[in-house]
Amino acid sequence: MNEFLKKGVIVLLGGIIQGLGMGLFLFPQSIPSGGAGGMAILFNHFFKLPMGPALWIVNFSLLLFGIMYLGKRFAVWTVFGMTITSLSIHFFEVYLIIPERNLLFDLIIGSVTLGIGVGLLMRQGVSNGGVGVLAYMLAFKRNILPGKPLFFFNCLIFFITAAVISWKIIFLALISQWMSTRIVDIIYSYPSYEVYTLDWRNKKA
């Protein structure tokens, strides 16, 4: 039970920190936080789906794909993490306003904060949703750090989205992904605390 509660607290913290980076720093500057948003934009462009339902379809489809390989517990924890992140994004967007914004500051702080949140989630065997499901699956299967596949998947979608929609934000998105995924790998591989794996057995990082 103590292990369960500890994992719950860390997932809660990871979701809040991820939501802080996205809702307070990246989204106000129109910087995409990941590939799921890019895929949602493509759904909206080709099928005229509203962004909200399009993003839900992307996240839900990838989560179902992840359940086939990583199990139901992975899905339950991922849904919990995604919910906390979404609620946090809404809170920070609505209730915390930065009167004078600076693009470079928002880009750096938002990317670092995003990376910390995602790294905490992935250390607990939890995806941050969207393309993070695929990245975690590949990292889990090949026993590699998740930052590299996460960066690859997100950048691939960014390039496709930019080619179809607009190239205006591609450079900011790539810089943000490079910084945040480096932080993810640092947090994921840091050896000072225990990781709770998908089967809830403990192992040292």
Side-chain angles (χ1 to χ4, degrees):
M1 181 59 68
N2 288 337
E3 296 171 0
F4 177 83
L5 291 176
K6 185 176 180 180
K7 176 170 182 171
V9 170
I10 295 175
V11 172
L12 177 67
L13 183 62
I16 292 173
I17 294 174
Q18 181 184 358
L20 171 67
M22 296 163 68
L24 190 59
F25 299 105
L26 297 180
F27 286 175
Q29 296 286 5
S30 299
I31 301 173
S33 62
M39 293 175 69
I41 292 174
L42 291 175
F43 270 86
N44 173 265
H45 178 76
F46 288 113
F47 305 108
K48 308 305 179 184
L49 287 175
M51 283 296 297
L55 186 60
W56 186 88
I57 290 173
V58 171
N59 281 323
F60 186 73
S61 299
L62 292 172
L63 184 59
L64 286 179
F65 187 61
I67 292 175
M68 298 170 54
Y69 291 89
L70 300 174
K72 295 179 180 178
R73 287 175 178 170
F74 167 81
V76 171
W77 281 110
T78 295
V79 169
F80 175 60
M82 288 168 53
T83 301
I84 296 301
T85 298
S86 297
L87 292 174
S88 300
I89 291 172
H90 176 74
F91 174 82
F92 290 120
E93 283 185 325
V94 173
Y95 296 104
L96 290 181
I97 304 298
I98 299 177
E100 295 184 8
R101 309 204 68 99
N102 180 278
L103 176 59
L104 181 60
F105 177 84
D106 287 347
L107 175 64
I108 294 174
I109 300 301
S111 301
V112 170
T113 311
L114 172 65
I116 292 173
V118 175
L120 288 175
L121 292 176
M122 288 190 165
R123 273 203 68 120
Q124 299 302 312
V126 178
S127 167
N128 63 316
V131 180
V133 175
L134 300 179
Y136 188 83
M137 286 171 54
L138 186 59
F140 183 75
K141 182 177 180 180
R142 299 198 173 189
N143 194 28
I144 60 175
L145 295 176
K148 291 182 180 180
L150 183 61
F151 180 75
F152 172 78
F153 287 134
N154 282 335
C155 288
L156 178 62
I157 294 172
F158 287 154
F159 274 109
I160 295 174
T161 304
V164 174
I165 308 296
S166 173
W167 290 96
K168 292 181 180 180
I169 61 173
I170 187 66
F171 296 109
L172 290 176
L174 289 176
I175 293 171
S176 177
Q177 282 301 301
W178 183 84
M179 287 191 290
S180 63
T181 52
R182 298 291 76 73
I183 299 297
V184 168
D185 281 347
I186 292 172
I187 297 295
Y188 189 85
S189 60
Y190 192 69
S192 65
Y193 64 90
E194 292 179 336
V195 180
Y196 297 92
T197 59
L198 297 177
D199 57 5
W200 292 9
R201 294 174 300 178
N202 296 348
K203 68 177 182 179
K204 293 292 184 180

